[in-house]
């Protein structure tokens, strides 16, 4: 048979010494020779009838050896990993196989080096119970949502006045210049801007308000130091602005007529009721998510996770890549960004090291809880999560969707998101000190899919929980069903948080 031993595990890199007895090694070589002989088309011989010496000259002795090794070493390695109770997270590297004679009568001894999943000592979390926050939905909250619905339905209509006011939608011609030279990147023709959305250059909106229709006006601005165009960042510019048109916002009246424009709503009273109901769900879901996160924090604090240099390095790569992408999205080259920060990339990695370690440990603990509680997602659930992550699926060609769904890296990311969401949902349900009270108090047995928003959400955007506790990954949501006796939201149903 054979034997194996773990020589060392350093920062997650395991070294194993694997021994395969001589008889098994010899059998593997002879089996490989037999199979190669049967497959080889050697002139002058029928398949399988050529002498060994001829076969070795024809295909090469190394080829036979590689076939023997491929049939022998992986099996011995997998058994060694199983015996050691180790889980690989990367393909192994084998040493000690060069120049080996499998027919020498000696045992085959080789070394396997492989990054393994760190050892996790998970605390006993069965007794964790968290008091859930209670929230009564107020009339003011309902009114705020109704006002937002009016804002969403607002239209911009032409006005007779000729002076720009706050909140207007204006069309502008802009000619920008810096130090007397025209700057095309600061110029535009008939550009539409909605005043009051805080997406203009600092101080520019105040200078547009009060401009007169059709009268070119010069305004001076200072471009911010972090302006996306590094050549213009921090410089003063002159903008010659001509207002071509002015429109003002017109809100619909809050009445039955407006309410019925929303799908499935019969009148204003019905709309208010639906809004209030959805706000109750939002509050419950958010409270359950707080329970889940608090419980997870206690589990992380009470558990131990071994080192893994590979996983930490990968997370550092990801964190640095995210910073680099954001900089480049703003038009700042990576070298320029590092110069502005006065740091090297290695110094930034050093600053992010503790964060990377914490994130890796948290992910490993979440995965361990998922394994223990049988929460690992199916392939279909991973696909559904991935579709939610990319969004706007209806607008994508089928070929693009299928390519996305088969991308290994994206599927790994979606798997992690699905695992995290499932664990948070489970913790919210099982660590709530008073789960019986976590209902909206209404009977949802008539709902076809129990999605707790009557198929149409008129109270809020109901994006469920987007847990960005350590990255930008979209969190998959779950569905809840309490059998129709007062619908009970889950931690995974929490509405999008403003972070």
């Amino acid at each position: 048979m054979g034997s194996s031993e773990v020589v060392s595990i350093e920062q997650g890199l395991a070294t194993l010494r694997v021994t395969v007895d001589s008889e098994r090694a010899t059998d593997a070589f002879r089996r490989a020779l037999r199979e190669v002989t049967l497959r080889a088309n050697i002139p002058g011989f029928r398949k399988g009838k050529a002498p060994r010496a001829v076969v070795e000259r024809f295909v090469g002795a190394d080829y036979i050896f590689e076939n023997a090794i491929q049939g022998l070493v992986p099996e011995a390695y997998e058994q060694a990993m199983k015996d050691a109770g180790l889980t690989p997270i990367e393909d192994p590297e084998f040493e000690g196989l060069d120049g080996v004679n499998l027919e020498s009568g000696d045992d085959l001894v080789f070394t396997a080096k492989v990054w393994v999943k760190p050892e996790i000592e998970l605390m006993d979390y069965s007794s964790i119970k968290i008091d859930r926050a209670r929230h009564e939905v107020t009339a003011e909250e309902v009114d705020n949502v109704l006002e937002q619905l009016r804002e969403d339905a607002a239209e911009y209509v032409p006005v007779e006045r000729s002076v720009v006011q706050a909140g207007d939608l204006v069309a502008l011609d802009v000619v920008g210049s810096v130090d007397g030279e025209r700057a095309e990147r600061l110029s535009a023709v008939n550009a539409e801007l909605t005043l009051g959305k805080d997406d203009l250059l600092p101080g520019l909106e105040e200078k547009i308000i009060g401009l007169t229709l059709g009268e070119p006006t010069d305004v001076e601005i200072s471009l911010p130091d972090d302006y996306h165009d590094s050549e213009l960042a921090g410089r003063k510019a002159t903008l010659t602005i001509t207002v071509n048109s002015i429109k003002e916002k017109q809100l619909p009246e809050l009445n039955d007529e407006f309410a019925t424009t929303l799908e499935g709503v019969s009148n204003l009273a019905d709309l208010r009721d639906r809004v209030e109901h959805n706000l109750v769900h939002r509050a419950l879901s958010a409270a359950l998510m707080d329970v889940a996160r608090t419980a997870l924090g206690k589990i992380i604090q009470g558990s131990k996770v071994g080192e893994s240099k590979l996983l930490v390095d990968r997370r550092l790569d990801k964190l640095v890549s995210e910073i680099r992408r954001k900089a480049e999205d703003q038009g700042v080259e990576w070298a320029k960004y590092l110069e502005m920060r006065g740091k090297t990339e290695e110094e930034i990695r050093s600053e992010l090291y503790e964060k990377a370690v914490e994130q890796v440990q948290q992910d490993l603990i979440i995965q361990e809880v998922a394994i223990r509680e049988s929460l690992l997602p199916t392939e279909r659930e991973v696909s559904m999560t991935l579709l939610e992550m990319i969004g706007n699926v209806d607008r994508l060609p089928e070929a693009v969707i299928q390519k996305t769904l088969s991308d290994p890296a994206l599927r790994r990311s979606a798997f992690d998101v699905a695992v995290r969401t499932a664990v948070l949902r489970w913790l919210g349900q099982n660590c709530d000190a008073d789960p019986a009270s976590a209902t909206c108090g209404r009977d949802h047995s008539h709902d076809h899919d129990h999605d707790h928003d009557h198929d149409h959400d008129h109270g809020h955007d109901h994006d469920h929980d987007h847990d960005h506790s350590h990255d930008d990954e979209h969190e998959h949501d779950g569905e809840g069903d309490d059998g129709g006796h007062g619908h009970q939201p889950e931690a995974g149903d929490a509405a999008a948080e403003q972070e």
Side-chain angles (χ1 to χ4, degrees):
M1 294 294 290
S3 61
S4 62
E5 64 172 323
V6 178
V7 177
S8 65
I9 301 179
E10 298 180 3
Q11 295 185 306
L13 180 62
T15 301
L16 292 81
R17 183 178 295 110
V18 184
T19 301
V20 180
D21 63 50
S22 59
E23 183 179 352
R24 187 178 171 195
T26 301
D27 286 346
F29 182 84
R30 291 174 179 172
R31 184 166 56 252
L33 175 62
R34 219 169 25 246
E35 291 173 354
V36 170
T37 302
L38 288 171
R39 293 197 307 267
N41 290 313
I42 302 176
F45 296 92
R46 288 181 295 166
K47 279 189 176 182
K49 298 301 182 181
R52 172 176 172 172
V54 174
V55 174
E56 288 182 340
R57 285 198 303 272
F58 186 78
V59 302
D62 287 346
Y63 178 75
I64 300 172
F65 173 78
E66 288 298 328
N67 275 264
I69 289 297
Q70 289 173 14
L72 180 65
V73 170
E75 182 180 347
Y77 157 75
E78 289 175 7
Q79 185 61 50
M81 292 290 285
K82 183 178 179 181
D83 292 343
L86 299 175
T87 302
I89 57 176
E90 190 81 332
D91 291 336
E93 292 183 2
F94 300 122
E95 298 176 356
L97 295 174
D98 294 337
V100 171
N101 183 354
L102 296 178
E103 294 183 294
S104 67
D106 297 329
D107 292 342
L108 170 65
V109 181
F110 66 92
T111 298
K113 291 188 175 183
V114 59
W115 292 98
V116 296
K117 181 179 177 181
E119 184 178 355
I120 302 170
E121 296 180 21
L122 204 59
M123 70 168 288
D124 179 8
Y125 50 82
S126 60
S127 62
I128 295 178
K129 297 298 176 185
I130 309 296
D131 290 328
R132 174 174 34 83
R134 311 300 173 95
H135 176 75
E136 294 292 331
V137 174
T138 65
E140 181 181 2
E141 290 176 292
V142 175
D143 290 340
N144 288 340
V145 173
L146 293 175
E147 189 61 27
Q148 185 59 53
L149 290 173
R150 292 180 67 211
E151 289 282 346
D152 293 343
E155 295 180 347
Y156 284 89
V157 297
V159 294
E160 294 183 1
R161 58 181 164 83
S162 59
V163 177
V164 177
Q165 296 180 1
D168 283 346
L169 173 65
V170 294
L172 310 172
D173 286 343
V174 182
V175 177
S177 61
V178 176
D179 296 335
E181 297 289 332
R182 180 178 174 119
E184 292 297 338
R185 285 165 288 188
L186 295 175
S187 303
V189 177
N190 215 36
E192 284 198 337
L193 300 175
T194 302
L195 303 180
K197 288 193 173 181
D198 297 327
D199 54 1
L200 300 180
L201 292 170
L204 179 57
E205 181 172 321
E206 291 80 356
K207 296 183 179 182
I208 294 176
I209 294 173
L211 295 184
T212 301
L213 187 69
E215 295 184 3
T217 305
D218 290 342
V219 301
E220 304 294 326
I221 63 169
S222 295
L223 298 171
D225 292 335
D226 60 352
Y227 188 62
H228 63 81
D229 189 326
S230 58
E231 292 183 9
L232 298 177
R235 303 179 69 180
K236 294 186 181 297
T238 300
L239 304 181
T240 302
I241 300 176
T242 305
V243 180
N244 297 330
S245 66
I246 304 173
K247 296 180 181 180
E248 67 179 5
K249 184 188 296 183
Q250 189 174 79
L251 297 175
E253 292 293 328
L254 186 60
N255 52 27
D256 288 344
E257 181 180 356
F258 167 69
T260 55
T261 63
L262 301 171
E263 190 175 356
V265 179
S266 57
N267 52 44
L268 181 57
D270 181 28
L271 177 58
R272 292 191 68 91
D273 181 67
R274 288 169 180 258
V275 168
E276 181 178 8
H277 185 203
N278 283 330
L279 288 174
V280 169
H281 276 284
R282 181 175 185 175
L284 280 172
S285 296
L288 285 169
M289 180 54 68
D290 286 341
V291 167
R293 287 180 177 146
T294 301
L296 178 59
K298 290 180 177 292
I299 296 171
I300 291 171
Q301 188 175 14
S303 302
K304 295 182 180 179
V305 179
E307 287 185 282
S308 179
K309 183 178 184 300
L310 177 68
L311 294 180
V312 172
D313 285 346
R314 284 178 177 174
R315 185 55 57 93
L316 279 171
D317 290 342
K318 180 179 180 181
L319 293 174
V320 172
S321 294
E322 288 171 354
I323 295 174
R324 182 169 186 162
R325 175 179 54 79
K326 289 177 182 177
E328 292 175 348
D329 285 347
Q330 295 176 356
V332 181
E333 294 182 356
W334 183 236
K336 179 67 174 178
Y337 174 84
L338 294 175
E339 181 183 337
M340 292 168 61
R341 287 283 306 273
K343 297 181 182 297
T344 65
E345 182 172 321
E346 196 56 41
E347 287 173 332
I348 291 178
R349 289 178 70 89
S350 180
E351 290 177 353
L352 294 170
Y353 180 79
E354 290 301 326
K355 181 178 181 180
V357 171
E358 291 174 3
Q359 290 184 7
V360 167
Q361 291 179 345
Q362 184 178 128
D363 286 349
L364 289 168
I365 288 171
I366 286 174
Q367 289 176 17
E368 190 68 18
V369 173
I371 293 170
R372 291 198 182 187
E373 305 302 335
S374 301
L375 301 174
L376 294 178
T378 63
E379 287 299 314
R380 181 179 183 278
E381 288 169 335
V382 171
S383 296
M384 295 300 293
T385 301
L386 182 50
L387 291 175
E388 289 186 6
M389 288 168 62
I390 61 178
N392 297 319
V393 177
D394 293 342
R395 301 178 183 178
L396 297 177
E398 182 64 25
V400 174
I401 294 174
Q402 293 305 319
K403 182 178 180 180
T404 301
L405 288 175
S406 60
D407 185 291
L410 291 176
R411 291 195 70 83
R412 282 195 298 271
S413 179
F415 176 86
D416 291 341
V417 170
V419 168
R420 182 178 183 85
T421 303
V423 168
L424 288 173
R425 182 186 303 119
W426 188 92
L427 291 174
Q429 292 174 333
N430 291 272
C431 296
D432 183 2
D434 184 17
S437 66
T439 77
C440 69
R442 296 194 183 186
D443 184 350
H444 284 261
S445 58
H446 63 282
D447 290 351
H448 291 296
D449 59 358
H450 301 281
D451 71 353
H452 72 252
D453 62 2
H454 295 272
D455 298 325
H456 307 287
D457 179 19
H458 304 300
H460 53 89
D461 57 11
H462 226 302
D463 279 341
H464 303 280
D465 181 68
H466 296 204
D467 179 42
H468 302 287
S469 58
H470 66 240
D471 52 36
D472 293 327
E473 292 177 343
H474 179 94
E475 292 298 345
H476 181 58
D477 61 277
E479 297 182 1
D481 179 10
D482 67 347
H485 302 293
H487 181 65
Q488 182 175 21
E490 299 173 343
D493 296 326
E497 296 182 40
Q498 303 300 317
E499 293 187 307

